Each structure stands twice: as C-alpha cells, then as structure tokens.
Amino acid sequence: MSKHLIAMIFTGIVTLTATATAFATKMSIVGRIQSEYSHIDIEGYSSQSTVNDPTFFSSWGFRVYEDLGHGFQAMAMIDFGFNTNGATQGSRELFVGIHNEKIGTLKLGRTHSPFADFAGGWTIDPFVYTTLQAAGSGGTMIASANGLGAGAYSAVNSVIRFTSREFHGFSFAALLMPGDADKLEAHLGGPLGGNGGNIGETGGEDGEWDIQVAAKYNYDFQEHKFQVFGGYSRDNVSTAQKRVTTANLKTEEVGRIGGVWAYKDFQLQGQYEFVSNAIGAATCSDAAALGSIKEVETRQCNSAMNAGGDGDVWYVGGQYKLGNATLIAQGGMSNADSTDFAKKRNAKSYTVGALYHLSKRTNLFGGYQHVNLIDRNETVDRDRNTWTVGLRHLF
C-alpha cells in the first residue's frame, strides 16, 4: 500500500470524525490486537508451534452514538476481525440501534448472542479469545457455527436483539432471527432463493424464527457478590439442512444454567448446558484444531456435539487477583452421544494460567491446558497439551 493511499485513508477518517462531532454525533475508532506464542501437542500424532492470533481476537472498527434527548441515544457499530498473520475473518458486529438508560438497548443487524456476551459464555471465561479459551478448545462451552453459542468471533446475522437494563438486580436479553419463507429457501444465495453456498440457517420454507433468551440476577450481600443465570436457545432446521439425510437433522435446542460467586479478590464461576439435536454446534476453533487436521480423534473439537445428536457440557473455574495479576484454574467436560454415523465420545480438560495487567489497555497472558479425549466406541484415548504466552492491547 502506497504512502499516498495511507495518507488519504487517514485524512478521510479524521475528516469523518470531525464532521460527525460537528453534527452532535460521537464517533470513535475502536480496536484491539493480540499475538501469542502457542505450542500444541497431540499425543501420538503431531505437534505444532505458532506465533499468531488463532482465535481472531484482533479487530478494528467504528462506534457511533447520537444523543436524541429524553434519555435516548442512537447507536451503531461496525467491527471487522483479522489475525496477526494477515488473514481476515471478516465482519463481527454490524448493527444500528437505540439505547435508553431506563429501559435497555435494541439492536438490529448482526450481533453477538446472549449466550456469548450476556449470561455465562465469554463473561465467565477469563481466557476467552486465547488458545486456552473454554469455547471450542477444552470441551467446556458450546461454540456454535451459527453464532448462537459462545464461539470466538462469532455473531448472528439478520437479528433483532433487546437487552434490558438491570431492575433490582434482574435483567434479561432476547434475540430473534426471522426464518420464515413462503415457498423458496431463505437466504440461499439471493433475495429470491437462488443458488449459493449458504445452507439456509435462517429456517427455509415454512421455517420458524430462531430464538435465544437469557436472564440473570445479581445480588450483593456485604462483601459477597452472587449471580445466577439461565437461558434457552432454539435453532430451527432449514429445508436445506434437512437434505443432509445422513445426519437426520431436527430443530436444535440448548438449555443453560450457571452462576458466579465472588468474595473480595476471589471468584468461582460455572455453567451447565444440555444440547438436543445439535445443528450448529459441531465446530471448534483453530486454536484447538492443530492446522487443517479433520479427523475428530486428532482435531479434537471437544466442545462439538455430533450433528443430529444430543449431549451435555459443563464448565467450572476459579480466579484470584494478586496485585496486577489474576491467577486462573478452570476445566470441565463434554459428552457427545453417538448417532448412526458418528461416534460417542467425551472430553475432559483442565487449564491453569494467569493474566498480568501492564495497564488498563495492555496485558500479558499465559498458561497450560490439558485435554483428554476418549472415543467410547473404539477406545481411542488421545491427550492434547497446549502451552501459550501472549500479549494484547486495546485501543
């Protein structure tokens, strides 16, 4: 990229920011960048070391606010992800919405799900967006391909989401994804169906709306802080997905319950999820995959359920703040029931490590994760060991 082009882009950004401010609209450039040295070793198969951002934590974008008066604000977010090896993940959150401090926030567009950023999920995993994260990298959280789980950098297209403010400790969030089509397959390559690679996650002909709801309650007693949360997620199978006859796909349902207890510098957190008729949950992060290895026994997509099958996932962790450092220990287990074409298996994991805050915007992190994957049909028992150390900065 030439120096002249870089200068033009920079000048344009500054001009847009100044213009927005002049019209009482506040626009800020936001972003974050991370890189980590990680080593993954799969017992009896392969090992690999990289310097990268394998969970695509890094991103940049624009956040926009406009004061509408009477406690209302218009808001918008444009966020794009990348990693430090030059690869682009594409869009994260892309939405426009309305916020009221006494009611809550309404978003329209592409957003994260309540299972990711509201009730459990990322909010209780201190290693989220690292190689040691629980979602997709240790068998302890659902990481759905359609964004309805807690997968890193995932979001949900074509949604309406409302998140309430907290009322006497209680708050809730609801996400709706339209999925009804009269005759043609919904969103399959064009406005009238068409041909394309999209498998129609929005429901298809005569489909129903996908939905996710979650609620939490916060309660403080002296120096103790308690939080309990729960939620329900439904991903309706589309007509295109039904054509995957070997999987016998049906509507996926996920239930979640969990809680947090904090006392001074100590915290415990955990959650349990039950998955029925998994559709989008058969994914894992590249951090857990060790390159392009596709075999389940070696790739170790531990938080994945078998497509069309049931399963359950639980996670528990503890944190202790010691000065600028946070010491972390966590782990859990996933159980994937067998289907006609996939094996029954479980994965057990534990993770230990620490975060060290150099400032409010910059921190170091590192640790070790051990995962034991057992195929309960053919007695495959293969461990995975991961070490990582990294640095991240928010701007």
Side-chain angles (χ1 to χ4, degrees), residues 8 18 50 53 61 90 152 163 249 298 321 342:
M8 289 175 61
T50 61
D53 179 13
T163 306
L249 296 179
T298 54
K321 293 182 180 179

PDB file of all heavy atoms in Angstrom, residues 8 18 50 53 61 90 152 163 249 298 321 342:
ATOM      1  N   MET A   8      -4.279   9.323   2.481  1.00  0.00           N
ATOM      2  CA  MET A   8      -5.655   9.635   2.103  1.00  0.00           C
ATOM      3  C   MET A   8      -6.653   8.972   3.042  1.00  0.00           C
ATOM      4  O   MET A   8      -7.646   9.580   3.450  1.00  0.00           O
ATOM      5  CB  MET A   8      -5.914   9.175   0.662  1.00  0.00           C
ATOM      6  CG  MET A   8      -5.202  10.006  -0.399  1.00  0.00           C
ATOM      7  SD  MET A   8      -5.416   9.326  -2.063  1.00  0.00           S
ATOM      8  CE  MET A   8      -7.203   9.419  -2.222  1.00  0.00           C
ATOM      9  N   ALA A  18     -14.331  14.477  12.566  1.00  0.00           N
ATOM     10  CA  ALA A  18     -14.587  15.889  12.843  1.00  0.00           C
ATOM     11  C   ALA A  18     -15.980  16.287  12.395  1.00  0.00           C
ATOM     12  O   ALA A  18     -16.702  17.026  13.085  1.00  0.00           O
ATOM     13  CB  ALA A  18     -13.531  16.749  12.145  1.00  0.00           C
ATOM     14  N   THR A  50       3.255 -21.979  16.874  1.00  0.00           N
ATOM     15  CA  THR A  50       2.968 -20.835  16.014  1.00  0.00           C
ATOM     16  C   THR A  50       3.073 -19.545  16.817  1.00  0.00           C
ATOM     17  O   THR A  50       2.956 -19.546  18.043  1.00  0.00           O
ATOM     18  CB  THR A  50       1.543 -20.915  15.422  1.00  0.00           C
ATOM     19  OG1 THR A  50       0.582 -20.907  16.491  1.00  0.00           O
ATOM     20  CG2 THR A  50       1.354 -22.159  14.588  1.00  0.00           C
ATOM     21  N   ASP A  53      -2.532 -15.101  16.094  1.00  0.00           N
ATOM     22  CA  ASP A  53      -3.747 -14.815  16.859  1.00  0.00           C
ATOM     23  C   ASP A  53      -4.810 -15.797  16.380  1.00  0.00           C
ATOM     24  O   ASP A  53      -5.706 -15.437  15.619  1.00  0.00           O
ATOM     25  CB  ASP A  53      -4.178 -13.362  16.625  1.00  0.00           C
ATOM     26  CG  ASP A  53      -5.453 -12.990  17.365  1.00  0.00           C
ATOM     27  OD1 ASP A  53      -5.869 -13.762  18.244  1.00  0.00           O
ATOM     28  OD2 ASP A  53      -6.035 -11.939  17.044  1.00  0.00           O
ATOM     29  N   GLY A  61     -12.699  -1.105  14.255  1.00  0.00           N
ATOM     30  CA  GLY A  61     -13.990  -0.667  13.755  1.00  0.00           C
ATOM     31  C   GLY A  61     -14.369   0.707  14.258  1.00  0.00           C
ATOM     32  O   GLY A  61     -13.546   1.452  14.811  1.00  0.00           O
ATOM     33  N   GLY A  90     -13.300 -11.213   8.624  1.00  0.00           N
ATOM     34  CA  GLY A  90     -14.487 -10.537   8.135  1.00  0.00           C
ATOM     35  C   GLY A  90     -15.259  -9.868   9.252  1.00  0.00           C
ATOM     36  O   GLY A  90     -14.712  -9.499  10.288  1.00  0.00           O
ATOM     37  N   ALA A 152     -15.646 -18.008  19.671  1.00  0.00           N
ATOM     38  CA  ALA A 152     -14.880 -16.783  19.481  1.00  0.00           C
ATOM     39  C   ALA A 152     -15.189 -16.169  18.115  1.00  0.00           C
ATOM     40  O   ALA A 152     -15.333 -16.870  17.129  1.00  0.00           O
ATOM     41  CB  ALA A 152     -13.391 -17.083  19.598  1.00  0.00           C
ATOM     42  N   THR A 163     -31.698  -6.027  24.970  1.00  0.00           N
ATOM     43  CA  THR A 163     -31.067  -6.294  26.257  1.00  0.00           C
ATOM     44  C   THR A 163     -31.571  -5.268  27.259  1.00  0.00           C
ATOM     45  O   THR A 163     -31.415  -4.057  27.030  1.00  0.00           O
ATOM     46  CB  THR A 163     -29.539  -6.213  26.167  1.00  0.00           C
ATOM     47  OG1 THR A 163     -29.072  -7.089  25.130  1.00  0.00           O
ATOM     48  CG2 THR A 163     -28.901  -6.619  27.498  1.00  0.00           C
ATOM     49  N   LEU A 249     -31.165 -34.313  10.641  1.00  0.00           N
ATOM     50  CA  LEU A 249     -31.202 -33.094  11.439  1.00  0.00           C
ATOM     51  C   LEU A 249     -32.620 -32.675  11.802  1.00  0.00           C
ATOM     52  O   LEU A 249     -33.542 -32.767  10.997  1.00  0.00           O
ATOM     53  CB  LEU A 249     -30.502 -31.957  10.689  1.00  0.00           C
ATOM     54  CG  LEU A 249     -29.006 -32.136  10.435  1.00  0.00           C
ATOM     55  CD1 LEU A 249     -28.467 -30.942   9.666  1.00  0.00           C
ATOM     56  CD2 LEU A 249     -28.253 -32.309  11.745  1.00  0.00           C
ATOM     57  N   THR A 298      -8.182 -36.582  16.206  1.00  0.00           N
ATOM     58  CA  THR A 298      -6.956 -35.799  16.270  1.00  0.00           C
ATOM     59  C   THR A 298      -7.243 -34.305  16.345  1.00  0.00           C
ATOM     60  O   THR A 298      -6.562 -33.570  17.050  1.00  0.00           O
ATOM     61  CB  THR A 298      -6.082 -36.083  15.040  1.00  0.00           C
ATOM     62  OG1 THR A 298      -6.856 -35.853  13.855  1.00  0.00           O
ATOM     63  CG2 THR A 298      -5.615 -37.521  15.045  1.00  0.00           C
ATOM     64  N   LYS A 321      -7.217 -12.585  42.350  1.00  0.00           N
ATOM     65  CA  LYS A 321      -6.451 -11.399  41.996  1.00  0.00           C
ATOM     66  C   LYS A 321      -5.343 -11.172  43.006  1.00  0.00           C
ATOM     67  O   LYS A 321      -5.587 -11.131  44.204  1.00  0.00           O
ATOM     68  CB  LYS A 321      -7.366 -10.174  41.931  1.00  0.00           C
ATOM     69  CG  LYS A 321      -8.373 -10.219  40.803  1.00  0.00           C
ATOM     70  CD  LYS A 321      -9.216  -8.952  40.746  1.00  0.00           C
ATOM     71  CE  LYS A 321     -10.227  -9.003  39.607  1.00  0.00           C
ATOM     72  NZ  LYS A 321     -11.061  -7.776  39.568  1.00  0.00           N
ATOM     73  N   ALA A 342     -21.860 -41.234  13.668  1.00  0.00           N
ATOM     74  CA  ALA A 342     -20.794 -40.601  14.451  1.00  0.00           C
ATOM     75  C   ALA A 342     -20.617 -41.320  15.779  1.00  0.00           C
ATOM     76  O   ALA A 342     -21.550 -41.907  16.325  1.00  0.00           O
ATOM     77  CB  ALA A 342     -21.120 -39.130  14.688  1.00  0.00           C
TER      78      ALA A 342
END
